[in-house]
Amino acid sequence: MAVDFKYIVVGRGLMGAAAARHLARQADGVAVIGPDEPDDRKAHQGVFASHYDEGRITRTIDPDRNWALLANRSIDRYGEIARDSGIDFYREVGCVVVAPTGGDYLERTREAAVSLGVETSLLDEQGLKAAFPFFAFPNGGAGVFEARGAGHISPRKLVKAQSLLAEKAGATVIRDHVVSIRSEGGSAVVETAGGLTHRAEKVLLAAGGFSIAKNLLPQPVAMTVYARTVTLFEVSEADAARLAAMPSLILRAPGIDIYLLPPIRYPDGKFYLKIGGDPDDLALSDDTEMRAWFKTEGRDTVRAHLKRIVEGLVPNMVPLSISTAACVVSHTESGYPMIGYSSSPEIAVLTGCAGTSAKSSDEIGRLGAELLLSGGISEQGYSTDFTPQFR
């Protein structure tokens, strides 16, 4: 049967929009289906995404070399994406990873960086205090600092840039969400919530946590979606200026496993310091639970936990207000993204990024595009093949 498109990417978040850009640059007949950010989150009846935000950490430094490489290759293309789209989404403020001395976390982080030619500095406890006087780190820690090619991005603006560039390269952007995907007569049939049907030679499902929704894959992916609560501390213009040299931070210490972003100006014109790191997990079993979760402000217990950490970590900051927001993270059995075909030769999947993919999304999207264009992913320096797992 005739097809409407050669390739359809289902999901227009960070990875889906990236995959659509890479596909459209190399092939004709590309479409990407995904809604815009809802104006009223609580009244919204469709799907959600976790990129509705202005702050995500970006850095190469990571104890896992595969994740470090995914990030490094994405970061190398930030300048091109910003230039070609005219959308500025990246701030190079550096990133520091702090963990207790004596473990191998920092050593593995340094080794991965060295293997990729990324310059870092190792700071002992006194060095951390001297370099970052606005932080009061727990005793007994050291840090790895990456000054160049690290900082934070606006995931909202990055998705906008990728969508724009995909469209410029010839992709059709369909602002709706998909309710079913099936194989039929040697092609894939996609139905949207708006009642339209589109047929393609190949479909790439890149719907984030919503990839576990029913009727999207022949078998559900083996992926667990967890609710996450981020906490935003509104800071004054004076505090934002005082903390202007603050890098992005990842902190591991007894009872603490968090990330923190320096004050960032949000669309309401105010500056917010953002922290995330739930002390426990709340699993969401299906898309109905996810939709309900996204309409909340997150969990009060997490807010209280993160508030205590910020009070100790940034002691001289007096927040003007404290708010929370809900998002989700998707964990796979391998700990890596799933990039591969389902049991149907027409339907592939690109999902499962453990809450760390925003910075790496362009490279993950590129691998998804390669999967469709070449039928598989060549090694390219990764020690994993990103094979999906299904239930």
Side-chain angles (χ1 to χ4, degrees):
M1 295 181 69
V3 297
D4 304 303
F5 300 100
K6 189 174 181 67
Y7 304 117
I8 293 177
V9 179
V10 173
R12 196 162 54 88
L14 285 154
M15 294 181 296
R21 176 176 79 91
H22 285 283
L23 280 168
R25 291 176 68 185
Q26 300 173 77
D28 295 327
V30 175
V32 55
I33 305 176
D36 289 328
E37 182 175 348
D39 293 326
D40 184 346
R41 180 166 49 91
K42 293 192 175 182
H44 181 58
Q45 298 302 309
V47 297
F48 293 84
S50 292
H51 70 259
Y52 308 151
D53 190 18
E54 292 301 323
R56 289 288 189 282
I57 289 180
T58 189
R59 87 281 181 191
T60 293
I61 47 175
D62 192 288
D64 185 299
R65 190 183 184 280
N66 287 318
W67 276 111
L69 184 55
L70 287 167
N72 190 252
R73 288 177 172 171
S74 295
I75 293 164
D76 280 348
R77 293 193 285 269
Y78 284 178
E80 170 195 341
I81 296 167
R83 182 190 69 242
D84 293 351
S85 68
I87 297 172
D88 186 14
F89 59 87
Y90 167 51
R91 290 289 177 271
E92 189 179 69
V93 298
C95 179
V96 61
V97 176
V98 177
T101 55
D104 68 344
Y105 184 86
L106 295 179
E107 182 58 32
R108 287 188 292 119
T109 297
R110 286 265 285 178
E111 287 174 358
V114 168
S115 75
L116 298 175
V118 173
E119 185 179 345
T120 62
S121 54
L122 182 61
L123 302 171
D124 61 14
E125 193 167 342
Q126 292 305 313
L128 286 172
K129 289 180 180 178
F132 311 116
F134 25 72
F135 289 132
F137 292 117
N139 294 329
V144 174
F145 179 51
E146 180 182 7
R148 300 295 177 199
H152 56 83
I153 60 171
S154 163
R156 179 183 277 130
K157 291 176 183 173
L158 179 53
V159 168
K160 184 178 179 181
Q162 297 280 34
S163 295
L164 176 66
L165 292 177
E167 206 161 16
K168 276 187 174 182
T172 299
V173 176
I174 300 170
R175 289 169 166 81
D176 199 349
H177 76 269
V178 169
V179 294
S180 76
I181 305 169
R182 69 181 186 275
S183 291
E184 183 180 279
S187 57
V189 179
V190 174
E191 294 184 8
T192 71
L196 297 179
T197 299
H198 305 283
R199 187 178 291 270
E201 292 180 14
K202 306 283 185 184
V203 167
L204 181 66
L205 175 63
F210 282 87
S211 299
I212 67 171
K214 292 180 180 178
N215 302 319
L216 297 182
L217 292 168
Q219 297 169 268
V221 281
M223 186 173 81
T224 304
V225 179
Y226 294 109
R228 288 289 184 261
T229 300
V230 298
T231 302
L232 299 163
F233 293 76
E234 181 190 352
V235 302
S236 66
E237 297 268 355
D239 262 348
R242 181 177 62 82
L243 301 174
M246 179 182 285
S248 296
L249 167 69
I250 296 169
L251 173 61
R252 291 193 166 193
I256 300 175
D257 188 355
I258 60 98
Y259 66 87
L260 183 141
L261 291 136
I264 297 170
R265 193 184 292 275
Y266 273 64
D268 63 3
K270 298 176 181 179
F271 283 95
Y272 295 91
L273 179 145
K274 176 187 168 185
I275 182 174
D278 292 39
D280 58 354
D281 287 326
L282 172 63
L284 303 171
S285 62
D286 55 32
D287 64 310
T288 300
E289 289 190 359
M290 278 189 281
R291 291 175 200 234
W293 168 252
F294 271 105
K295 294 181 182 183
T296 74
E297 305 301 326
R299 292 191 287 165
D300 289 340
T301 54
V302 179
R303 171 191 167 120
H305 171 74
L306 297 175
K307 180 174 179 286
R308 284 193 299 272
I309 291 172
V310 168
E311 287 171 348
L313 185 60
V314 195
N316 295 323
M317 184 189 72
V318 180
L320 304 179
S321 69
I322 303 174
S323 56
T324 54
C327 68
V328 302
V329 297
S330 306
H331 286 265
T332 65
E333 294 175 353
S334 69
Y336 297 119
M338 292 190 283
I339 311 172
Y341 278 94
S342 69
S343 59
S344 164
E346 292 86 40
I347 303 171
V349 64
L350 176 72
T351 191
C353 292
T356 63
S357 69
K359 66 184 184 304
S360 308
S361 56
D362 190 66
E363 174 67 0
I364 296 169
R366 186 190 70 80
L367 293 174
E370 178 174 324
L371 174 70
L372 296 197
L373 293 166
S374 304
I377 300 171
S378 54
E379 183 182 313
Q380 301 185 56
Y382 299 103
S383 65
T384 176
D385 60 6
F386 302 104
T387 298
Q389 297 85 39
F390 298 93
R391 297 194 193 283

